[in-house]
Amino acid sequence: MTPTGTQPENAVIAGAIALRGGVRVFAPLIGTAEQPSVGLFTINERPLEEGRARFRVISGIPDIEGVVPTFTGGEALTPTLGFGDASEYAVLDTETYDLDVVDAVTGELLLSLPATLLAEGASTDIVLIGQVAAGSLTAFWRGWRWRS
């Protein structure tokens, strides 16, 4: 992986990845500029019922023991996620959800993700990135959808 427009010799991270035929994976760059890492996460392509959406949360936060994604003011969506961990996919009704990410040890709110839309028929990866110490936590989404 190289910064946009640069040559392979300027790679931030490099290596070979062996994939099985027919398997789709999501490979986000996580970690820090000093210690980058590539996560490899298999994408769930199974069809969903009408009105349903699938999502998971991936933690790319390197400077904390673990995080717990939750519904805002409510229950945990997943067990504790450490750096490089991904939750199992969950299937919910297609709608907009307010989500929070809390410190697994202290319970402190680290990041709010209001109005998170889970698109019908899609598998969505919500990737948490940044550092707690730097106050740079954020998230990005990637939705996957296939036609039969």
Side-chain angles (χ1 to χ4, degrees):
M1 293 190 166
T2 63
T4 302
T6 62
Q7 299 300 313
E9 58 270 11
N10 297 321
V12 174
I13 191 167
I17 300 171
L19 302 175
R20 295 186 315 253
V23 175
R24 294 180 196 240
V25 297
F26 176 44
L29 181 62
I30 57 177
T32 64
E34 296 78 26
Q35 293 185 324
S37 180
V38 175
L40 289 178
F41 305 98
T42 303
I43 301 167
N44 186 332
E45 300 180 64
R46 290 189 303 270
L48 289 160
E49 295 177 15
E50 187 174 323
R52 304 289 275 171
R54 176 185 297 119
F55 81 102
R56 68 177 164 195
V57 179
I58 299 169
S59 177
I61 304 171
D63 65 337
I64 193 166
E65 189 172 318
V67 297
V68 179
T70 67
F71 289 108
T72 297
E75 65 186 81
L77 298 168
T78 72
T80 299
L81 299 174
F83 175 70
D85 290 343
S87 68
E88 296 294 323
Y89 277 108
V91 178
L92 297 172
D93 290 335
T94 301
E95 62 181 82
T96 301
Y97 294 90
D98 293 329
L99 307 176
D100 286 336
V101 178
V102 300
D103 184 308
V105 175
T106 67
E108 175 187 353
L109 175 64
L110 299 173
L111 183 65
S112 289
L113 304 171
T116 301
L117 175 64
L118 299 179
E120 182 175 0
S123 292
T124 301
D125 289 325
I126 301 171
V127 184
L128 309 174
I129 57 173
Q131 293 180 279
V132 173
S136 62
L137 294 185
T138 191
F140 70 89
W141 291 252
R142 178 61 173 102
W144 312 96
R145 190 177 297 192
W146 293 268
R147 296 191 176 148
S148 328

